[in-house]
Amino acid sequence: MATSTTMPDAAAVGDRAAEILRAMQNHAGYERLTSSSMKYSSCWATFTGYPLVSEWDLDRDAAPLLEEALRVLALKAAVFELTDGDEAAAELLVPAPVDEMIHAVLAQFTVMTGMQRDLGLAFPHATELERFDYSRGCVTDTYYAAARWGEQPLRYWLDSAEVDRRLAILNEHYQGAGFDPNGRSHGHTFDATAPTAA
């Protein structure tokens, strides 16, 4: 879904997003938000998000991905605010691994609701508006740079062409394990008895 809203100035978004992220970090619920998001590991993984990261390792990658997710949520909140609530404009393009961590953060509904109320913000996220064609140099990257958070870790910031290439490789592996493309179905019945340890 396209937006007719003119995207806001990068400096304004960057400055506001940096303020929002600092406010989130100073909020009483921040520690609960981050620790709860990290504990969600048994539920958060899909076949098409985190596995795209080369040599993915939960212990190594969860914390940096969480940092990227919080930065993107601050950017989206800034765009939402500066466009008078345009959800389509605020649904910035992000790579699949970062998007998956955003879902893990937003699953912390109680603390996110409290944070939005206390900070007078909205952290928009509309799945029906998501597009999976993030590419380096897009407006998301411009806003990220304007927030002065340093270089994006390219380990996670994969453009859509690289995501498609990696998904093709993963799908070959998934098929070998009996899963249809992107892990959307399988024929395993779970009738077989699990082998017992000797």
Side-chain angles (χ1 to χ4, degrees):
M1 183 171 174
T3 178
S4 59
T5 302
T6 301
M7 295 301 285
D9 174 71
V13 171
D15 289 345
R16 183 62 182 128
E19 289 173 6
I20 289 169
L21 184 59
R22 283 192 298 274
M24 291 171 71
Q25 292 166 334
N26 292 326
H27 188 271
Y30 183 75
E31 185 177 336
R32 179 179 173 201
L33 174 66
T34 56
S35 65
S36 297
S37 297
M38 300 283 278
K39 289 177 183 171
Y40 198 52
S41 61
S42 63
C43 300
W44 2 290
T46 68
F47 285 75
T48 59
Y50 299 137
L52 295 168
V53 175
S54 180
E55 298 180 304
W56 162 253
D57 181 283
L58 177 64
D59 293 333
R60 177 186 59 214
D61 292 310
L65 264 173
L66 177 61
E67 182 175 25
E68 295 309 301
L70 294 172
R71 288 172 173 176
V72 170
L73 284 168
L75 289 172
K76 289 169 52 132
V79 172
F80 189 73
E81 182 179 284
L82 293 168
T83 59
D84 295 321
D86 187 325
E87 279 189 284
E91 198 56 57
L92 299 174
L93 297 175
V94 295
V98 177
D99 184 64
E100 187 162 352
M101 183 58 88
I102 289 169
H103 287 233
V105 172
L106 293 177
Q108 311 314 312
F109 181 76
T110 305
V111 70
M112 286 299 288
T113 299
M115 192 174 282
Q116 287 184 126
R117 180 194 62 235
D118 296 344
L119 300 179
L121 298 169
F123 294 103
H125 188 78
T127 302
E128 78 276 12
L129 300 177
E130 284 184 305
R131 297 185 329 275
F132 298 100
D133 53 356
Y134 166 79
S135 61
R136 298 293 299 151
C138 69
V139 71
T140 306
D141 292 351
T142 302
Y143 289 159
Y144 190 105
R148 296 178 294 281
W149 291 322
E151 294 295 318
Q152 292 158 295
L154 299 183
R155 175 171 176 75
Y156 311 114
W157 286 82
L158 307 170
D159 69 28
S160 60
E162 182 61 11
V163 164
D164 290 345
R165 187 186 77 79
R166 292 183 184 195
L167 274 178
I169 294 168
L170 285 173
N171 278 321
E172 288 181 21
H173 292 294
Y174 296 154
Q175 185 176 8
F179 291 89
D180 285 343
N182 300 330
R184 291 190 174 133
S185 65
H186 66 70
H188 301 291
T189 63
F190 304 101
D191 288 339
T193 303
T196 57

